[in-house]
Amino acid sequence: MSSIQPPSQRVWWKQPLDRVEGTWIAIALLWSLIMFFMMPYWHVYGKQNTPGEAYRVVPTAYQKKAQEFVEKYTVRTEANGALPVVKPPAGSDVYLIARLWQWWPILELEKGKTYRLHLSAMDYQHGFSLQPENINIQVLPGYEHVVTITPNRAGTYSIVCNEFCGINHHTMVSRLYVK
Ligand code: CUA
C-alpha cells in the first residue's frame, strides 16, 4: 500500500491490534496518567512550588501602594541615594516593582519570618528569579502576584530578571537582604 494508490482493502483500519502496539499504547497511557497525577501531588507535597495568588491591578494603583510602603519603611539608601532599602515589619505585606530595568526597592527581611511578597510590573513582562534559591515568578503589568515567603537562611540574595525585556535586560538585577 502506498499513499498514491488506494488501499487494496477498503476497510483497512479494522485490523486487530498487534500485541506490541497495544503494549506500547498501554505504557504511554499509564505514563501520561502518572505524570498527570504527579502535578497535583507535587504541588502539595513537593517543596519547590510556591503557592501563588494573582489579582488584577492598574499599574498606577500598584505603584501608589509600593510608594507608600517605601516611604513608610525605608531605613537607608544605596547607589548614592537612588535606591531605598526597605525594612518592613515581620509578617507584613512587602511590595516590589519591576520596570525597565530595575527592581524597586531593595528589601531587607528577617530570617524565619513570613512575608507576603507582592510583585507587579509597570511596563512589560519581567521575571523574578531569586538566586541561589529556586524561585521563578513571571511578573506582568496589570497583575499583582502575591507569594508567601519565609526566608530561612540569612544572607544576601540576588534578584535577576529572567524574561527578556529589552536592550538592558541583563542589567536588571537587584539584591534581597535576609538578616
Ligand atoms: Cu526585566 Cu528582563
Side-chain angles (χ1 to χ4, degrees), residues 101 125-127 161-165 169 172:
W101 287 279
Q125 176 173 3
H126 300 279
C161 178
N162 65 358
E163 293 283 352
F164 182 72
C165 56
H169 157 70
M172 194 168 160

Side-chain angles (χ1 to χ4, degrees), residues 110-113 133 150-154 157 178:
E110 227 178 292
K111 183 185 146 190
K113 298 286 192 298
E133 298 300 317
T150 310
N152 54 8
R153 266 186 290 156
Y157 294 80
V178 177

Side-chain angles (χ1 to χ4, degrees), residues 2-163:
S2 78
S3 54
I4 298 168
Q5 263 102 44
S8 49
Q9 272 177 280
R10 272 197 65 78
V11 185
W12 52 269
W13 59 85
K14 282 201 171 165
Q15 302 283 332
L17 196 64
D18 188 77
R19 246 203 26 234
V20 176
E21 196 179 3
T23 309
W24 279 111
I25 290 172
I27 290 172
L29 178 70
L30 190 70
W31 184 238
S32 65
L33 286 174
I34 289 171
M35 301 237 283
F36 178 79
F37 288 107
M38 277 305 277
M39 288 192 285
Y41 173 83
W42 221 245
H43 181 79
V44 177
Y45 297 103
K47 283 199 170 141
Q48 74 273 50
N49 288 346
T50 45
E53 307 158 38
Y55 307 95
R56 277 192 184 278
V57 72
V58 180
T60 47
Y62 183 83
Q63 189 168 22
K64 196 164 166 278
K65 278 197 283 186
Q67 190 85 44
E68 280 164 16
F69 161 77
V70 169
E71 276 163 21
K72 214 163 160 188
Y73 301 119
T74 296
V75 286
R76 60 177 189 278
T77 57
E78 282 189 16
N80 291 322
L83 270 175
V85 179
V86 180
K87 192 179 177 185
S92 67
D93 287 87
V94 301
Y95 294 84
L96 195 57
I97 283 180
R99 62 187 168 210
L100 298 176
W101 287 279
Q102 180 190 55
W103 297 98
W104 187 88
I106 295 175
L107 298 169
E108 187 173 299
L109 307 178
E110 227 178 292
K111 183 185 146 190
K113 298 286 192 298
T114 300
Y115 298 85
R116 279 168 61 78
L117 173 63
H118 297 243
L119 293 156
S120 191
M122 292 298 106
D123 34 45
Y124 302 105
Q125 176 173 3
H126 300 279
F128 177 88
S129 171
L130 190 68
Q131 304 293 331
E133 298 300 317
N134 184 19
I135 294 180
N136 254 309
I137 299 151
Q138 289 196 331
V139 186
L140 298 152
Y143 286 95
E144 184 169 345
H145 302 263
V146 188
V147 196
T148 305
I149 53 162
T150 310
N152 54 8
R153 266 186 290 156
T156 302
Y157 294 80
S158 297
I159 298 170
V160 181
C161 178
N162 65 358
E163 293 283 352

